[in-house]
Amino acid sequence: MSKAFASQADLDDKKTTFEQLSPHCWAYTAEGDPNSGVIIGEKFIMVSDATATPAMAQDLIKHIRTVSDKPIKYVLLTHYHAVRVLGASAYVAEGATEVIASRGTYELIVERGAQDMQSEMERFPRLFRGADSVPGLTWPTLVVGDGKPGRQGSLEVDLGGVKVSIWHPGPGHTRGDTIAWVEEEKVLFSGDLVEYEAGVYTGDAQLEEWPATLEALRALGAEYIVPGRGEAMKGNADVNKALDYTKRWVTTLFQAGKEAAAAGMDLKTAMAHTRKSMDPVFGHVFIYEHCLPFDVSRAYDEAQGIKNPRIWTAERDKEMWSALQA
């Protein structure tokens, strides 16, 4: 019997938490659902990851308004996935004038944003409540860097009493991942480059490079991290636990993909092979069964030399699901 497609059977609401981490930084988390970060200055506010729809963004805005009435001037897209970006238009009424993304993220929106929007809406019906409030693709108004990893070409934003550095640290979850770093308070907003005790979606990943990007983040010495999914981590030891968790997922998955490709396995056999190493460690976590087929497909492709991930469409999603989750 086939499992329900992706997260179509996951319809129970998650409890959201709005938690202050440092004098200016907050985490908006939701029991394994996508997180957002908030940085509140004396003049302006920045939101990192906008939620999936303008309707769903209202809950985050409501939480922000319990602690500040300042304009939410900046919206940061840590990457291009629809579940992170399509809520951006809700912040215009709250003062937003800039939507920030890396060069790589902008290019991915151009290349595959429309297909990803349809694909994700069908995978995650609960996360796209109020989808009719989405006006279309979210486009950045401010593009950071030239696509090369590292702090050269980074953007520094002064919110009043707190400065935020934004740059592309390297490929991983996508080729355009972008972080926000509040150095004075040692708070890192990582997007889906880092997860903790939740599925690590790698369907559009650069698996070979991802571990090095995680080590670049580790070198920052963060005391707090708002990961893409999972609880906000407090203290450098727990930050490293989240980095280690993500690195273990990525390296275990890619090793299995390389073994499957080298042995000439077909994709369904590669899935069974990957489960042997992944299920005992990660099988209990949120959205594991959703992520794994997409992850195995990408690991198998990359192991065979396909460096630019193939575009996921709603049709391809369902064909793959039928083949691997039967």
Side-chain angles (χ1 to χ4, degrees), residues 34-287:
N35 296 333
S36 294
V38 179
I39 308 164
I40 301 176
E42 295 165 8
K43 295 180 179 178
F44 307 115
I45 298 171
M46 177 181 291
V47 168
S48 174
D49 287 326
T51 79
T53 69
M56 296 191 74
Q58 294 306 317
D59 185 68
L60 174 53
I61 291 168
K62 189 187 305 180
H63 280 86
I64 293 170
R65 291 305 179 213
T66 65
V67 294
S68 177
D69 61 359
K70 298 295 188 292
I72 304 174
K73 183 175 181 179
Y74 301 98
V75 176
L76 171 64
L77 314 181
T78 64
H79 58 287
Y80 83 100
H81 285 150
V83 75
R84 302 293 183 174
V85 309
L86 294 184
S89 63
Y91 301 92
V92 173
E94 304 298 323
T97 59
E98 299 289 354
V99 176
I100 304 168
S102 70
R103 172 62 55 183
T105 291
Y106 170 77
E107 291 172 352
L108 284 163
I109 296 169
V110 172
E111 177 183 284
R112 58 185 70 196
Q115 296 95 323
D116 178 73
M117 179 173 162
Q118 182 186 6
S119 167
E120 290 199 49
M121 283 183 172
E122 294 198 17
R123 293 186 208 175
F124 289 109
R126 180 172 53 77
L127 295 182
F128 285 92
R129 287 177 182 166
D132 57 354
S133 65
V134 176
L137 295 177
T138 297
W139 293 98
T141 61
L142 187 56
V143 176
V144 179
D146 58 5
K148 297 177 182 175
R151 293 189 75 162
Q152 66 277 10
S154 64
L155 173 70
E156 185 170 273
V157 176
D158 188 344
L159 301 179
V162 59
K163 293 179 180 179
V164 187
S165 296
I166 297 166
W167 75 93
H168 166 57
H173 179 67
T174 71
R175 71 170 185 261
D177 294 303
T178 314
I179 62 168
W181 171 234
V182 181
E183 188 159 14
E184 289 183 3
E185 297 172 19
K186 298 292 184 185
V187 183
L188 174 61
F189 300 86
S190 69
D192 281 338
L193 272 173
V194 183
E195 318 283 23
Y196 187 65
E197 288 297 312
V200 181
Y201 177 75
T202 74
D204 301 298
Q206 303 293 332
L207 292 165
E208 185 175 18
E209 292 86 0
W210 197 338
T213 301
L214 292 171
E215 292 308 315
L217 298 185
R218 195 189 306 271
L220 294 172
E223 290 293 331
Y224 306 90
I225 189 169
V226 180
R229 292 178 185 268
E231 64 183 287
M233 305 300 278
K234 309 171 194 71
N236 184 252
D238 279 355
V239 170
N240 283 325
K241 277 172 61 176
L243 291 164
D244 291 342
Y245 172 90
T246 308
K247 188 174 182 180
R248 187 177 186 186
W249 181 297
V250 169
T251 55
T252 303
L253 172 73
F254 193 35
Q255 179 61 35
K258 289 186 286 188
E259 291 166 358
M265 298 178 189
D266 63 18
L267 187 58
K268 189 170 180 65
T269 308
M271 176 75 161
H273 176 71
T274 303
R275 280 193 176 278
K276 293 176 185 176
S277 51
M278 294 288 287
D279 285 9
V281 182
F282 301 108
H284 65 286
V285 303
F286 181 75
I287 70 164

Side-chain angles (χ1 to χ4, degrees), residues 15-47:
K15 178 185 175 184
T16 57
T17 301
F18 189 58
E19 177 182 17
Q20 187 168 12
L21 302 178
S22 71
H24 296 93
C25 299
W26 300 72
Y28 178 78
T29 60
E31 298 183 306
D33 272 358
N35 296 333
S36 294
V38 179
I39 308 164
I40 301 176
E42 295 165 8
K43 295 180 179 178
F44 307 115
I45 298 171
M46 177 181 291
V47 168

